């Protein structure tokens, strides 16, 4: 089964990089906190999709080796991938916000997961990752 898109949860030290979506009625979850990623282009792999979208949206040039966790999520005939990357906190200096969304910020992962304006699917997927960790990554 081919996939539709991919998202990448990027931790800069203990903080999660989040993007505030545009506030347009014609997009899913307008004005919600999102994660870098998006739809597949051509025949790219899920990892390449997530990394390309990350570069377009926040200017971070990551490599597949930076991905520390991945999971495929199937919903009927649609498949999406969720990835996690852990970067040092000083990588925040390399963020260059693209032309989609209203802005970005660093957020505690617990705050994101509990935020009423976080995209629900991504909070559940982030919780899947956090639940598999033997230590709290934000300690």
């Amino acid at each position: 089964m081919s996939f539709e898109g991919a998202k990448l949860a990027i931790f800069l030290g203990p903080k999660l990089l989040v993007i505030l979506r545009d506030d347009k009625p014609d997009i899913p979850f307008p004005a919600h906190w999102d994660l870098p990623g998006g739809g597949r282009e051509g025949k790219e792999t899920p990892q390449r999709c997530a990394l390309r979208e990350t570069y377009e949206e926040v200017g971070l040039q990551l490599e597949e080796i930076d991905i520390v966790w991945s999971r495929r999520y199937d919903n009927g005939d649609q498949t999406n991938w969720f990835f996690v990357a852990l970067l040092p906190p000083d990588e925040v200096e390399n963020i260059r916000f693209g032309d989609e969304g209203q802005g970005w910020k660093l957020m505690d992962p617990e705050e994101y997961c509990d935020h009423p304006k976080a995209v629900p699917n991504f909070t559940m997927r982030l919780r899947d990752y956090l639940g598999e960790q033997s230590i709290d990554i934000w300690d």
Side-chain angles (χ1 to χ4, degrees), residues 6-27:
K7 287 289 183 173
L8 180 60
I10 303 171
F11 286 88
L12 296 146
K15 301 287 188 174
L16 182 67
L17 175 61
V18 296
I19 299 168
L20 184 59
R21 292 177 60 80
D22 287 316
D23 192 6
K24 298 178 181 177
D26 61 330
I27 64 170

Side-chain angles (χ1 to χ4, degrees), residues 106-119:
L106 297 178
M107 189 180 283
D108 287 324
E110 313 100 313
E111 179 186 357
Y112 180 77
C113 287
D114 294 336
H115 201 289
K117 287 284 193 169
V119 177

